[in-house]
Amino acid sequence: MGKGGALSDGVIKKIVLSYTYVAIWIFLSFTVIVYNKYILDKKMYNWPFPITLTMIHMAFCSSLAVLLIKVFKVVEPVSMSRETYIRSVVPIGALYSLSLWLSNSAYIYLSVSFIQMLKALMPVAVYSIGVLLKKESFKSETMTNMLSISFGVAIAAYGEAKFDTWGVMLQLGAVAFEATRLVLIQILLTSKGINLNPITSLYYVAPCCLAFLFFPWIFVELPILRETSSFHFDLMVFGTNSLCAFALNLAVFLLVGKTSALTMNVAGVVKDWLLIAFSWSVIKDTVTPLNLFGYGLAFLGVAYYNHCKLQALKAKDAQKKVQQSDEEAAGKLLEERESEGAGKRDETED
């Protein structure tokens, strides 16, 4: 099959597998978002308890992560001291719990389509916080692009038919906490050589999230749940919802491990447009032309940002390869000189 530019069976298999992983991730991410919206929205399942729902997810994911690591030995746990856990994992767990709490709360007030549009601000938040914490260097070109993304989201927000100030504040807060978490992962974990995949992340971070969410839950939602005598725990609904949330983490593990983080970013863009289309056609959310125009501008900015990141990664990889080839050439030259020197010494002794 190698003649005439035809692809080999191995390459075709890799391409099919890559698209399969992408399709699985898009399906699960899509399902979790729509499922959470269904549970929390007062016009649907009418169970507006985002902290409780997040705690159910964390308890479920923690239990399965322990089983996969301790019992089935699917992945190896990361070697980590108690001091490292307290200083590095606990702050990340606190930020993650706040991000999940606020993002799930936003589903009560905002449409799925508008939430996806607001999430386009994530690169802006990550870059801005990275600059503040001196993890990213300030570049006027990048900041101009960030402003264009913000401008696009602002237009989309202005065109939102069912704008809710409190819902927008919740979602923007979730974006800010999530962006801070992503930057701190680089500072507190990656810089120390600690790399957590989605399963080990859940193993270490999910119990921490559960502990942090317990305190606001006692004061915010527990009293209301006690008064709601009609509520009963639907194992089918919450069990399948939690299973989808855990499966999504496994899908991230497969997608990034078998393809790349860039593939996941591109897949994320496809997922966002699918969610907007689903929200408009099935859930019957109102999507205005101004919504789409604003999100289109933001989308172009995000696409350009991802393109610049890819080019920077390629340049870095090329530089590493040049450096490695230079080191190899220098090593060979040194070996040749040593062998020549040894040969001359042998001739002198003879």
Side-chain angles (χ1 to χ4, degrees):
M1 234 183 158
K3 293 180 180 180
L7 296 173
S8 67
D9 290 339
V11 173
I12 292 172
K13 188 178 179 181
K14 283 182 180 179
I15 292 170
V16 171
L17 281 174
S18 295
Y19 277 107
T20 303
Y21 294 136
V22 167
I24 290 170
W25 179 81
I26 288 175
F27 171 76
L28 288 170
S29 182
F30 185 99
T31 303
V32 168
I33 290 169
V34 174
Y35 211 158
N36 286 352
K37 172 69 175 176
Y38 166 74
I39 291 172
L40 295 165
D41 197 303
K42 293 177 182 178
K43 295 177 183 177
M44 298 182 190
Y45 190 74
N46 190 24
W47 200 73
F49 301 104
I51 304 176
T52 312
L53 181 64
T54 309
M55 288 179 71
I56 291 169
H57 288 173
M58 291 298 103
F60 186 86
C61 291
S62 297
S63 303
L64 282 186
V66 169
L67 286 173
L68 288 174
I69 290 175
K70 292 292 186 182
V71 180
F72 298 108
K73 313 280 186 187
V74 174
V75 293
E76 289 293 325
V78 176
S79 179
M80 190 184 303
S81 65
R82 182 179 294 180
E83 184 181 359
T84 302
Y85 183 83
I86 292 170
R87 289 187 177 183
S88 300
V89 176
V90 169
I92 290 167
L95 290 166
Y96 194 37
S97 62
L98 287 168
S99 171
L100 291 172
W101 172 13
L102 296 184
S103 62
N104 280 334
S105 298
Y107 286 116
I108 300 171
Y109 306 96
L110 302 175
S111 66
V112 170
S113 57
F114 187 43
I115 285 174
Q116 299 313 118
M117 293 176 190
L118 290 174
K119 284 181 180 179
L121 287 170
M122 185 61 74
V124 180
V126 171
Y127 178 73
S128 302
I129 292 166
V131 170
L132 286 173
L133 297 179
K134 297 180 179 179
K135 190 66 185 173
E136 294 272 359
S137 57
F138 179 84
K139 294 178 182 176
S140 56
E141 185 185 354
T142 307
M143 185 52 72
T144 303
N145 186 34
M146 296 298 110
L147 290 173
S148 71
I149 295 171
S150 304
F151 181 65
V153 172
I155 291 174
Y158 182 76
E160 176 62 18
K162 296 178 182 178
F163 187 90
D164 186 282
T165 305
W166 179 239
V168 171
M169 288 174 65
L170 287 170
Q171 186 55 48
L172 292 180
V175 168
F177 284 124
E178 179 63 11
T180 308
R181 182 184 77 91
L182 292 173
V183 175
L184 283 186
I185 285 174
Q186 292 181 323
I187 295 171
L188 298 178
L189 294 178
T190 310
S191 62
K192 296 178 182 178
I194 302 172
N195 293 308
L196 301 178
N197 63 51
I199 299 174
T200 50
S201 290
L202 288 174
Y203 178 75
Y204 289 107
V205 176
C208 189
C209 287
L210 193 60
F212 276 111
L213 289 168
F214 181 74
F215 296 102
W217 178 72
I218 291 174
F219 300 104
V220 177
E221 292 186 2
L222 181 59
I224 303 171
L225 283 167
R226 281 177 173 171
E227 291 174 8
T228 312
S229 56
S230 59
F231 168 72
H232 68 282
F233 186 81
D234 191 327
L235 185 61
M236 178 62 71
V237 170
F238 293 102
T240 52
N241 179 246
S242 299
L243 189 61
C244 286
F246 184 79
L248 177 59
N249 281 278
L250 292 182
V252 172
F253 179 53
L254 281 173
L255 185 61
V256 177
K258 302 295 182 181
T259 57
S260 67
L262 180 70
T263 304
M264 186 175 166
N265 285 336
V266 175
V269 171
V270 175
K271 177 209 70 179
D272 290 343
W273 282 109
L274 286 173
L275 277 166
I276 291 170
F278 179 85
S279 177
W280 170 73
S281 61
V282 179
I283 304 177
K284 302 300 180 184
D285 287 333
T286 304
V287 179
T288 67
L290 203 56
N291 272 149
L292 294 176
F293 176 71
Y295 182 65
L297 286 178
F299 161 72
L300 290 174
V302 172
Y304 180 70
Y305 175 74
N306 286 334
H307 171 73
C308 292
K309 279 284 186 184
L310 175 61
Q311 295 304 314
L313 285 172
K314 283 183 175 178
K316 194 174 181 180
D317 287 341
Q319 189 177 358
K320 278 184 180 179
K321 287 178 181 177
V322 169
Q323 189 176 353
Q324 284 175 355
S325 62
D326 288 345
E327 287 174 358
E328 287 174 4
K332 286 180 181 178
L333 185 62
L334 186 64
E335 286 176 6
E336 287 174 2
R337 286 180 179 177
E338 285 178 353
S339 62
E340 285 176 5
K344 287 179 180 178
R345 283 197 297 271
D346 291 341
E347 289 175 5
T348 304
E349 287 174 4
D350 291 341

